[in-house]
Amino acid sequence: MYHSSFARILYTVLFVSSVNQLFGQSNFQSGYAVNIEGDTLRGKIDYRNWEKNPKKITFQHGDASGLNEFAPADLISFAVMDEIYVSALVETEVSSSNTNQLDNTARLETIQEQVFLQTLIKGEKSLYLNVNSFSKENFYIKDGDRFLLLTYKKYNAEKLEGGYTRSYVAENKMYQGQLSVYLQDCPSMKKATQSVLYKKESLKRLFESYYDCIGKPLEFSKRDEKTFVKWGVLAGVSATSLRFDSEFHPNLTNPDYGTSINPTFGGSMDIIFARNLNKWAMVNELVYASYQHSGESVNQKNNNLTEYSSTTFAYHQIKMNNMIRYSSFIGNTEWFTNLGLATGLAISHTNEENLRTVFFETEKFETREAVEGGRIFEVGFLLGTGIRIKKISTEIRYENGNGMSNFPSLASTTHKFIFQLGYRF
């Protein structure tokens, strides 16, 4: 009854949190847009710190209540926060970068799209980025009025070695030659382009070196955004229930094991991903947890044989929790939802059954393992939601574990509700 009520509360909180995150407030920031007539419109743009280049933006003129949506065909450019985007009709490369799905040709697979290119470097020689709908990064340079795709592709190739044909991953690095020509007014760039990687940080460094070489200032350089780590400590209380399901073990399935209330504490390391307004994070926790249960059962096997069973379980665990976190922010308040796995190692445990067997007038006493060959590793599913205000967080979490039984004929499950407080450094 207790856990049923607790579960309803948790699911209600999770639902409210999910609705809040899915339909959260907009994030309008001061910016400007240049329309196709060349007029500069100043106002606010709903800034989403886009992981993929936006296909449209929402624009608010000044303090007016009316909103406009602009696609690449409607604008020349727009700027918001530390980001500048220009509208361009470009070729975008769409072949897979997954090693298991590479094709066998160095030839690019492209489609033509009108997009908002993100400006990484702006000056006499500029660099642009498009993260397309396939999550693939394409980089561009500008030649007159045209935006040229820097050519790069991974593909499968074969070569003969020792009489055998060996497959390997090859790379079409034509972009290095393109850049050598593009930046040729600095002689040292010819060597530098031979080692530049098809990655944002590497290409930006190349262009910054170029501007140092020619002695001219950059008009704009996009500030780097990096994944960062936050450390923390946490403490709370857990409420655990234990259940067995089997047709053959009434001494385990009949008892009501009740609820075990225990403290839990540990440390956390949150890896917060760049872009998307830091909404996504990988959460890793190392915690101590425990539970203790006991139960009694009377099993009347026949008129002359009765078993009286008393079982005790006590597990003290070191647990590794690994979760994905999604957050939404309102001012200094962060609402978050966690989803992941818990892996627990029992550092000490009790798995014991005291059995009294009465056959006619004869009694027999035995102490044995309640669950024969019980496992010491427990794996569970985690789901939780919480709120953080500055450095302090509170969370309510549900965990469903696979208990201590290794046998398909005896299913063991633990259901745990956890309320915890956290402090992030």
Side-chain angles (χ1 to χ4, degrees), residues 242-254:
L242 174 65
R243 177 178 174 177
F244 293 95
D245 290 291
S246 176
E247 298 179 3
F248 311 107
H249 299 84
N251 291 350
L252 295 175
T253 58
N254 288 341

Side-chain angles (χ1 to χ4, degrees), residues 2-3 6 234-241 258-265 287-293 315-317 319 321 382 395-399 414-421:
Y2 169 81
H3 284 291
F6 211 92
L234 50 90
V237 61
S238 64
T240 308
S241 64
T259 301
S260 177
I261 308 294
N262 303 94
T264 181
F265 54 87
V287 299
Y288 166 81
S290 64
Y291 58 88
Q292 298 85 34
H293 294 280
Y315 279 75
H316 301 267
Q317 302 170 315
K319 306 191 78 169
N321 299 329
L382 288 171
E395 181 182 359
I396 184 172
R397 186 181 294 177
Y398 169 71
E399 178 185 326
T414 57
H415 300 272
K416 190 185 297 284
F417 291 93
I418 305 160
F419 175 78
Q420 67 184 27
L421 297 173

Side-chain angles (χ1 to χ4, degrees), residues 385-396:
T385 188
I387 183 173
R388 185 190 319 278
I389 300 176
K390 295 184 178 179
K391 295 184 177 183
I392 306 295
S393 67
T394 180
E395 181 182 359
I396 184 172

Side-chain angles (χ1 to χ4, degrees), residues 77 84 166 286 309 312 314 369 388 394:
S77 64
I84 302 172
R166 185 177 71 85
L286 187 65
S309 171
T312 301
E369 282 189 318
R388 185 190 319 278
T394 180

Side-chain angles (χ1 to χ4, degrees), residues 87-322:
S87 177
L89 183 65
V90 297
E91 297 291 327
T92 178
E93 217 280 320
V94 296
S95 63
S96 176
S97 298
N98 188 320
T99 303
N100 297 323
Q101 298 176 344
L102 298 179
D103 59 29
N104 300 314
T105 175
R107 187 175 62 252
L108 271 59
E109 180 183 345
T110 63
I111 59 174
Q112 193 173 67
E113 288 185 306
Q114 186 150 10
V115 300
F116 285 126
L117 293 179
Q118 185 183 19
T119 305
L120 299 180
I121 297 289
K122 184 179 180 182
E124 288 186 5
K125 303 291 176 70
S126 300
L127 176 68
Y128 304 89
L129 167 66
N130 178 38
V131 183
N132 63 26
S133 54
F134 299 91
S135 297
K136 189 163 188 178
E137 292 186 340
N138 283 252
F139 295 94
Y140 299 82
I141 54 177
K142 193 172 184 182
D143 180 19
D145 293 331
R146 296 187 306 152
F147 293 89
L148 301 180
L149 173 64
L150 293 176
T151 300
Y152 174 76
K153 183 184 176 182
K154 286 184 179 180
Y155 61 99
N156 283 325
E158 294 181 343
K159 64 180 178 180
L160 194 63
E161 275 188 0
Y164 295 94
T165 300
R166 185 177 71 85
S167 297
Y168 67 100
V169 176
E171 295 175 288
N172 178 347
K173 295 184 178 181
M174 191 181 295
Y175 72 93
Q176 294 178 342
Q178 291 174 282
L179 289 170
S180 180
V181 173
Y182 189 57
L183 306 176
Q184 61 184 323
D185 46 327
C186 173
S188 64
M189 287 298 104
K190 184 173 183 180
K191 182 177 180 180
T193 56
Q194 294 173 2
S195 59
V196 67
L197 303 177
Y198 201 78
K199 294 183 180 296
K200 180 166 59 176
E201 295 80 5
S202 184
L203 289 167
K204 278 188 61 187
R205 284 196 299 270
L206 178 75
F207 273 75
E208 288 165 354
S209 297
Y210 166 78
Y211 278 93
D212 287 340
C213 173
I214 64 174
K216 292 184 179 180
L218 275 167
E219 292 181 37
F220 172 81
S221 177
K222 175 70 178 75
R223 175 174 47 86
D224 290 335
E225 296 176 85
K226 297 182 179 180
T227 295
F228 59 96
V229 175
K230 290 285 189 178
W231 299 89
V233 293
L234 50 90
V237 61
S238 64
T240 308
S241 64
L242 174 65
R243 177 178 174 177
F244 293 95
D245 290 291
S246 176
E247 298 179 3
F248 311 107
H249 299 84
N251 291 350
L252 295 175
T253 58
N254 288 341
D256 179 2
Y257 293 101
T259 301
S260 177
I261 308 294
N262 303 94
T264 181
F265 54 87
S268 64
M269 181 184 72
D270 299 347
I271 302 172
I272 302 171
F273 301 123
R275 308 299 292 174
N276 281 317
L277 298 172
N278 301 132
K279 291 182 177 180
W280 291 97
M282 172 69 75
V283 179
N284 305 283
E285 299 172 347
L286 187 65
V287 299
Y288 166 81
S290 64
Y291 58 88
Q292 298 85 34
H293 294 280
S294 59
E296 295 184 348
S297 174
V298 178
N299 182 19
Q300 186 81 45
K301 291 202 166 184
N302 56 50
N303 291 333
N304 303 311
L305 178 61
T306 305
E307 288 183 346
Y308 299 88
S309 171
S310 176
T311 52
T312 301
F313 299 97
Y315 279 75
H316 301 267
Q317 302 170 315
I318 295 296
K319 306 191 78 169
M320 175 65 77
N321 299 329
N322 303 106

Side-chain angles (χ1 to χ4, degrees), residues 344-361:
L345 169 65
I347 53 177
S348 71
H349 69 283
T350 300
N351 169 22
E352 184 177 275
E353 179 182 17
N354 292 309
L355 185 66
R356 180 168 69 95
T357 303
V358 179
F359 181 63
F360 288 103
E361 300 298 325

